Amino acid sequence: STGKLYAQIRNGAPFDVFLAADDARPRRLEAEGLAVSGTRFTYAIGRLALWSPDPKLVGAGAAVLREGRFAHLAIANSKTAPYGAAAEQALRRLGIWERIAPRLVRGENITQTFQFVRTGNAALGFVALAQVRALPESERGSYWIVPANMHDALRQEAVLLKHGAENPAARALLDYLRTPDVKSLIQDLGYSTSP
């Protein structure tokens, strides 16, 4: 998760570039002097989706959540994973957090959360839209794209870390992420690339 990577960087992990699933931790690293000032930028803006492999489970909007026709709902850890924080915000905004909380299965990160749903350990879960779009059409099941106004923006930032300040490959990677071809690819995967 982004939070765990941030902690590793703060504790001396020899990483050159940090691609975070939020904007808070790259900003903190810059403020703490662990990232090269002026290199931080948004490479993607993620979208949260409520997803189930069952093509009939997730209908229009959040009805399935309100009706409670499931045993378990997967979300990423809201303390360390930005997509988990967004899922909690959406559930609170819907006014059902307290009712749903006992049914939650928490993934360490968004990848583990996706796997909980994909393997059937949870009937549905809040995942990254990009994860759903990466599936073959026949495996996409049903999903609802959570309106962006139901949670904080999932602004994903990249930053050059002090460890990589003199590494030309690290700078080249960050430059590459800003090219039109990469931005187009990122958009095809279900992200936005501009605010």
Side-chain angles (χ1 to χ4, degrees):
S1 67
T2 294
K4 286 191 173 190
L5 290 171
Y6 166 77
Q8 290 173 5
I9 293 164
R10 288 201 66 215
N11 287 304
F15 304 141
D16 292 350
V17 171
F18 184 36
L19 299 177
D22 70 5
D23 58 353
R25 289 171 185 99
R27 187 175 32 253
R28 279 190 221 152
L29 289 171
E30 193 176 46
E32 294 164 351
L34 296 172
V36 177
S37 184
T39 63
R40 184 171 48 87
F41 68 96
T42 300
Y43 66 91
I45 300 170
R47 294 299 309 268
L48 184 67
L50 178 65
W51 171 66
S52 174
D54 180 341
K56 296 179 180 158
L57 186 59
V58 180
V64 67
L65 295 172
R66 288 190 180 101
E67 294 164 5
R69 297 178 287 128
F70 57 90
H72 296 100
L73 170 70
I75 70 169
N77 182 332
S78 60
K79 291 180 177 29
T80 59
Y83 280 86
E88 181 177 333
Q89 290 168 357
L91 289 167
R92 288 185 184 280
R93 184 97 183 245
L94 290 167
I96 58 175
W97 172 254
E98 286 75 20
R99 185 164 48 92
I100 295 284
R103 298 185 192 189
L104 295 179
V105 176
R106 288 184 173 86
E108 193 171 307
N109 53 47
I110 198 64
T111 302
Q112 186 179 46
T113 303
F114 180 78
Q115 287 304 318
F116 285 162
V117 180
R118 191 154 193 207
T119 59
N121 289 303
L124 70 166
F126 284 100
V127 301
L129 176 61
Q131 291 170 307
V132 177
R133 289 211 175 144
L135 292 169
E137 189 83 32
S138 62
E139 295 178 28
R140 287 189 185 167
S142 56
Y143 62 97
W144 170 56
I145 302 172
V146 179
N149 65 357
M150 294 187 72
H151 57 80
D152 292 343
L154 289 163
R155 185 180 303 275
Q156 300 181 202
E157 288 195 343
V159 68
L160 180 66
L161 299 172
K162 288 286 186 173
H163 185 273
E166 303 303 320
N167 182 344
R171 289 185 181 272
L173 172 62
L174 292 175
D175 290 342
Y176 176 69
L177 289 174
R178 295 181 189 168
T179 64
D181 286 345
V182 171
K183 285 183 177 185
S184 178
L185 176 62
I186 289 170
Q187 290 167 354
D188 289 346
L189 293 172
Y191 298 93
S192 172
T193 56
S194 60

